[in-house]
Amino acid sequence: MSELNQVRIDKWLWAARFFKTRGLAADAVNGGKVHVNGQRCKPGKEVKVGDVISVTKDQYSWQVTVTDLNKQRRPAQEAAALYSEDQASIDKRLKQIELHKQQQALLHPSERDHKPNKKQRRQIHRFKQDAL
């Protein structure tokens, strides 16, 4: 894609669409959510092709290898070409997503189970009136 040798980590994360803004990317790097080659870094850290980057965002994590560099934010298909993710990282994230869905299902019942319809409301109201 490009002929760059190095790009700042915050610019690369933004261009690869891990974060919506460079500011959010810089905050994540400063907060220790991003590691380059296994070490914490600063937003000005220069990354190059072949570097291994680990990104933690919300409860999900990615382990990617830089395959290309770009300073500009491009469409999602081009952004996905900036890195390659190993299969273990993909499997781990899919398990995290499934676990999160299961936890949400336990915490928040579906709307149909939670909110009674008109007929049920009338029955509940009558039951309360009879109890008084």
Side-chain angles (χ1 to χ4, degrees), residues 57-73:
K57 184 177 173 186
D58 299 327
Q59 69 268 15
Y60 307 115
S61 60
W62 290 263
Q63 186 83 20
V64 298
T65 303
V66 178
T67 57
D68 202 357
L69 303 172
N70 199 349
K71 283 186 178 179
Q72 296 177 333
R73 192 169 170 103

Side-chain angles (χ1 to χ4, degrees), residues 47-64:
V47 294
K48 54 189 177 299
V49 175
D51 283 347
V52 177
I53 298 176
S54 114
V55 180
T56 303
K57 184 177 173 186
D58 299 327
Q59 69 268 15
Y60 307 115
S61 60
W62 290 263
Q63 186 83 20
V64 298

Side-chain angles (χ1 to χ4, degrees), residues 17-132:
R17 293 180 172 260
F18 281 99
F19 298 96
K20 273 190 170 182
T21 65
R22 277 188 55 202
L24 290 174
D27 290 345
V29 173
N30 283 329
K33 305 291 185 188
V34 178
H35 292 78
V36 177
N37 296 327
Q39 296 182 346
R40 279 184 72 166
C41 59
K42 294 183 178 179
K45 168 78 173 161
E46 299 284 335
V47 294
K48 54 189 177 299
V49 175
D51 283 347
V52 177
I53 298 176
S54 114
V55 180
T56 303
K57 184 177 173 186
D58 299 327
Q59 69 268 15
Y60 307 115
S61 60
W62 290 263
Q63 186 83 20
V64 298
T65 303
V66 178
T67 57
D68 202 357
L69 303 172
N70 199 349
K71 283 186 178 179
Q72 296 177 333
R73 192 169 170 103
R74 305 290 302 153
Q77 287 182 335
E78 291 181 33
L82 296 178
Y83 60 90
S84 65
E85 186 175 10
D86 60 343
Q87 191 60 40
S89 175
I90 294 170
D91 294 339
K92 182 179 175 183
R93 194 173 63 259
L94 291 176
K95 286 179 186 176
Q96 290 171 336
I97 290 170
E98 186 60 35
L99 180 64
H100 181 69
K101 284 181 182 179
Q102 291 172 356
Q103 290 173 344
Q104 290 300 317
L106 291 174
L107 292 175
H108 304 292
S110 69
E111 188 68 26
R112 188 175 290 279
D113 295 339
H114 179 66
K115 185 176 179 182
N117 61 23
K118 288 182 181 180
K119 186 176 180 181
Q120 290 171 334
R121 276 189 251 157
R122 274 191 249 128
Q123 290 172 351
I124 292 170
H125 181 69
R126 285 185 191 145
F127 179 74
K128 286 181 181 178
Q129 291 296 325
D130 292 341
L132 294 174

